[in-house]
Amino acid sequence: MRDAFASSAYFGAVLSVAAYSFGMWLKKKTGLAVCNPLLVAAVIIVPVLLVSGITYDEYMLGAENISYLLTPATVCLAIPLYKQLRLLKENKAAVFCSIAAGVAANALTIFVLCLLFKMEHVHYVTLLPKSITTAIGMGVSEEAGGIVTLTVVSIIITGVSGVIMSEALFKLFKLEEPIARGLALGNGAHAIGTAKALELGEVEGAMSSLAIAVAGLMTVVVVPFIANLI
């Protein structure tokens, strides 16, 4: 039975979709921020693989078919942005200053923490792309000499934790402006945050989509200049 599942070209994809769908149902049912579908899916998939004895490589035979959709899915986020183009033009200065501040804050935070914990250069460049979408972050990490797999992990942790904390932070700081909410989610939690932003509204989704693209491009430009600081 184990060999039959492991050799299936669809096992990884079916397991991933099923686990994520359950996560979506659980989030809708409970309304708890911690029940993020991506986090729930990971909590389900890891024990299933451990108990069944299926290796990660075997799982990825099917799961990688979903990974191919990552880049086109990110590109499709331009659709809600196009619908809110007028709003973007009216607030372009504030929007781009906000995104630039987010990118700078991320880079400074990583730099300070790496110095504080005495991390090596490879760890520093691995963590630098943690706040941009996976499709861009993997390339940035590889080009800078980082550990790509750890970059992916840091990106996922950043996105999930950002979404979980966003609801509480919005309430704490009484942040109700749709543009500000969208930029915060896209800049701080990239694609995972954008999924949350789209739940909040079309404006939030559009601004979050913009934040993903611009923050990613800014990071690509900035990283070569700051990669050798540590």
Side-chain angles (χ1 to χ4, degrees):
M1 182 65 72
R2 178 258 179 210
D3 292 336
F5 281 130
S7 61
S8 173
Y10 304 103
F11 172 74
V14 172
L15 177 61
S16 300
V17 172
Y20 189 84
S21 298
F22 175 77
M24 291 181 64
W25 174 85
L26 188 62
K27 176 65 169 67
K28 185 177 181 180
K29 192 74 173 178
T30 63
L32 297 175
V34 72
C35 292
N36 180 274
L38 188 60
L39 179 60
V40 172
V43 170
I44 293 174
I45 292 173
V46 171
V48 168
L49 296 183
L50 290 175
V51 171
S52 64
I54 296 174
T55 66
Y56 176 76
D57 290 337
E58 291 170 335
Y59 161 74
M60 281 302 294
L61 285 175
E64 66 181 2
N65 294 322
I66 299 178
S67 300
Y68 292 141
L69 301 175
L70 179 62
T71 300
T74 303
V75 173
C76 287
L77 292 174
I79 296 175
L81 176 60
Y82 176 76
K83 293 180 179 179
Q84 300 295 329
L85 198 57
R86 179 188 59 81
L87 193 61
L88 171 61
K89 291 179 179 179
E90 293 175 353
N91 300 275
K92 58 185 178 181
V95 167
F96 285 100
C97 285
S98 172
I99 298 174
V103 173
N106 172 65
L108 180 61
T109 301
I110 295 300
F111 176 72
V112 172
L113 288 176
C114 285
L115 286 179
L116 184 63
F117 291 100
K118 298 179 180 180
M119 292 185 177
E120 299 178 2
H121 170 76
V122 65
H123 302 131
Y124 172 58
V125 295
T126 295
L127 294 174
L128 274 177
K130 75 173 183 62
S131 290
I132 58 177
T133 186
T134 308
I136 302 175
M138 291 173 65
V140 172
S141 176
E142 184 176 13
E143 185 69 23
I147 305 171
V148 178
T149 51
L150 291 183
T151 298
V152 173
V153 172
S154 67
I155 289 173
I156 293 174
I157 292 175
T158 299
V160 172
S161 59
V163 169
I164 291 175
M165 293 187 294
S166 65
E167 295 181 13
L169 291 174
F170 289 161
K171 292 179 181 178
L172 177 63
F173 294 102
K174 298 180 179 180
L175 191 62
E176 299 179 355
E177 169 58 45
I179 295 178
R181 285 189 171 204
L183 291 173
L185 285 166
N187 217 348
H190 42 81
I192 301 175
T194 300
K196 173 65 177 179
L198 288 168
E199 294 178 7
L200 297 177
E202 193 170 281
V203 174
E204 288 90 335
M207 293 301 107
S208 186
S209 301
L210 176 67
I212 286 179
V214 177
L217 290 174
M218 286 184 177
T219 302
V220 169
V221 173
V222 168
V223 165
F225 293 99
I226 64 175
N228 293 318
L229 291 179
I230 293 181

